[in-house]
Each structure stands twice: as structure tokens, then as C-alpha cells.
Amino acid sequence: MIPEIMQQIQVIIDEMPMKGFANIPVWVSKLDKRIEKVLKDRLSRSIIAWVTAFNKEEKPSGFQAVTPAPQAAKPKETSLAARLANLANVDTTSANKKDTKPAAPVEEFPIEIITLESTTYEIVIANQVLFLTPPLEDARVYWTNAFHNHISIACTLPRIQAGRLQVFQKANVGPQDYGNILVMLGKDLLKQPYYAIASQLQQAHDYVQ
């Protein structure tokens, strides 16, 4: 879903020069920073949800919000272009419009409970020795890759660009995706999934021993 939304945003940006909009690079740069902040907040919540699901013995099926949303009137449907204007605090409907409405705040999303597929390991006795099959190291590789795939959804999203279709547009030498949001999260948050994996594996190892 998120990649499709980013693609829609990029298509709207590509169409702006043909519709006579000015100062597009400045507007896109501002919008890019807002998107970066939203992705950072979503990713931090997503990591917490992943750790919670990994440590949970009985995982619920599906997705459900743990923080109830306040009761409010249903917002009026708006076009994606208007939502982009709200994100960047600019008006794209008319260059001569004098009275503009304040920009809508960035939408807040509650932390969701996600479902992770469990892995099964067998305790085998051979020559009066207990051991696990497959080995615990396979579990470490599996769950580490699973976490990396989880966070890559946000980190590998292509950044929006201004003038992407222009013939003489200078090459973009900046970041091509949003992988830099990992640096913005902080070490304490990023350590939690690896600590959770190591803790579960240690418990399994102690049980076998």
C-alpha cells in the first residue's frame, strides 16, 4: 500500500511542470522532509509492534489497533493533490488565491499488533544426546532476515524527485531512498529486536541443555 501511495505522489509531482506550477523543487524538498518524518514515526511504531509480536506467546490473527482512536466526525474526502498541499503547507489550487485554510496536521496512526509466523524445531535424541533440528543458528538467521524485511518496506521506498522527466534536469546526487531514517531512530530502539531474538534463542538453548 505504501509503495503505491508514494508512486501516486511522484506522478502528481511529474505532472506539475506541465500545469504551470513554479518553485516545484522547493515545494518537493519541503514535502520530502514531511514524508521522511512520517515514515520515521511509522517505522518506530512498527519496530515496537514487531518486538511485541515476537515476544508474544499467543499471537492474535490479523491487525488491530491497541490505542483506540478518539471519536470524531468523518473527514471530508479530498483528492491526493489536496492532501499533498496540506503536507507541504501550500495551496496548489490557485496561485492567486488570497484566503487559504490552515494546513491539516500529519495523520497519527496507532500502534498495530502484527502477526508473525511461528517456527517449529524438534528435539531429537541421537546417541543419548539431545539436540535441536534445525539448529538454533538457523532460527537466528531466519528471524534476523524477517526483521530486516519488515523494516525494508519503509527504508527502500524511492524518494520523491522534482523534474524527474525533464531532459536537462541535473542528476540527483542525494539519497535515493529513505534508508537514512534508521539513523534517526536511535540505537536503543534498533537494539530491541536483536535483543528479543537473542533472548528467545537463549531460552531455547537453556531448555535443551
Side-chain angles (χ1 to χ4, degrees), residues 167-188:
V167 178
F168 300 103
Q169 176 70 15
K170 295 182 180 179
N172 185 8
V173 296
Q176 301 299 312
D177 55 32
Y178 290 95
N180 64 307
I181 60 179
L182 286 175
V183 181
M184 302 165 62
L185 292 179
K187 295 180 180 180
D188 292 339

Side-chain angles (χ1 to χ4, degrees), residues 55-201:
N55 289 328
K56 198 173 184 63
E57 295 182 359
E58 295 182 1
K59 306 178 182 64
S61 59
F63 292 75
Q64 51 180 304
V66 299
T67 303
Q71 298 294 330
K74 185 177 180 180
K76 184 179 179 181
E77 296 293 334
T78 56
S79 65
L80 183 58
R83 291 164 60 188
L84 290 178
N86 287 334
L87 278 175
N89 295 330
V90 297
D91 184 11
T92 60
T93 57
S94 174
N96 298 323
K97 189 174 181 180
K98 295 181 179 179
D99 298 328
T100 59
K101 296 181 179 180
V106 178
E107 185 177 359
E108 293 292 339
F109 298 92
I111 297 177
E112 295 177 337
I113 297 179
I114 65 176
T115 301
L116 299 177
E117 295 183 2
S118 60
T119 54
T120 303
Y121 294 84
E122 297 179 352
I123 299 178
V124 180
I125 301 178
N127 298 325
Q128 298 182 349
V129 177
L130 289 175
F131 63 92
L132 284 180
T133 178
L136 283 179
E137 283 305 314
D138 289 3
R140 186 187 305 276
V141 173
Y142 173 84
W143 286 111
T144 301
N145 289 337
F147 172 67
H148 290 170
N149 292 335
H150 181 73
I151 62 177
S152 68
I153 297 175
C155 295
T156 59
L157 289 173
R159 282 187 176 269
I160 57 175
Q161 301 179 22
R164 185 181 61 163
L165 303 181
Q166 295 181 9
V167 178
F168 300 103
Q169 176 70 15
K170 295 182 180 179
N172 185 8
V173 296
Q176 301 299 312
D177 55 32
Y178 290 95
N180 64 307
I181 60 179
L182 286 175
V183 181
M184 302 165 62
L185 292 179
K187 295 180 180 180
D188 292 339
L189 178 61
L190 293 176
K191 288 179 181 178
Q192 292 184 22
Y194 301 103
Y195 285 160
I197 294 173
S199 176
Q200 293 283 1
L201 294 179

